[in-house]
Amino acid sequence: MFQNCPYSLLLKSLLKEINSIRTVLNSKEIFNNSLWEKVGKPRINKKSPPAIFDLSLRDLPDERWKPLPGFEGKYVISDKGRVKRLSGWKSGAELYGEEQILSLKFKKSDSPYLYFTLRTNEGRFEKRLPRMLYYCFIEEFDLNDRTLWIVNKNETQWDIDMSKLLLRSKVDSFKNKK
């Protein structure tokens, strides 16, 4: 009856578009087991873990969120050290991403650090957690200046106490190590 109706053609076209939409789901994991293993499996309560191991979407007590510089509307960071991908359309209108807490990673080196990876249409970007925390919650500085380092004086890298993050020049950081 409505086979050749203009609305029928429009409906078919819309259904075809809807079927081509892909959704990026959050992993539903609530504990960052990979990070926990990388930092040496510290004794913690996995049911109520420290913030950086917590991948649940629920806000933690007194948690504050701010947009990540250069990624406003796409990613936010919390004062507890968690990074969230916001829900929304990606790559035009072909991909819908659910809200998700990103898994932090740990780089073992002479100067170990926590980092996370952001994905956009422009590519992948690795960001150091202490650098972004300092910038967003303590003091803004030139993020493009690679001679400025954030020194993490916390006893363990994963224990986030922002009062123990210090902005230093690269030269000063090396002098203090020796």
Side-chain angles (χ1 to χ4, degrees), residues 105-118:
K105 298 169 184 86
F106 184 68
K107 177 79 170 186
K108 290 183 181 180
S109 65
D110 291 339
S111 300
Y113 60 89
L114 292 163
Y115 70 99
F116 53 92
T117 304
L118 306 176

Side-chain angles (χ1 to χ4, degrees), residues 62-74:
D62 301 318
E63 188 170 30
R64 294 178 302 139
W65 295 92
K66 289 193 176 183
L68 267 173
F71 301 91
E72 294 84 354
K74 295 176 184 171

Side-chain angles (χ1 to χ4, degrees), residues 160-176:
I160 303 296
D161 176 354
M162 283 194 280
S163 70
K164 294 181 179 177
L165 298 179
L166 309 169
L167 178 65
R168 297 284 185 255
S169 74
K170 202 178 218 182
V171 173
D172 289 343
S173 296
F174 285 120
K175 282 181 187 175
N176 290 337

Side-chain angles (χ1 to χ4, degrees), residues 5-20:
C5 168
Y7 295 115
S8 173
L9 295 173
L10 179 61
L11 183 59
K12 282 181 184 177
S13 174
L14 284 172
L15 287 173
K16 186 177 178 183
E17 286 296 316
I18 289 170
N19 288 332
S20 70

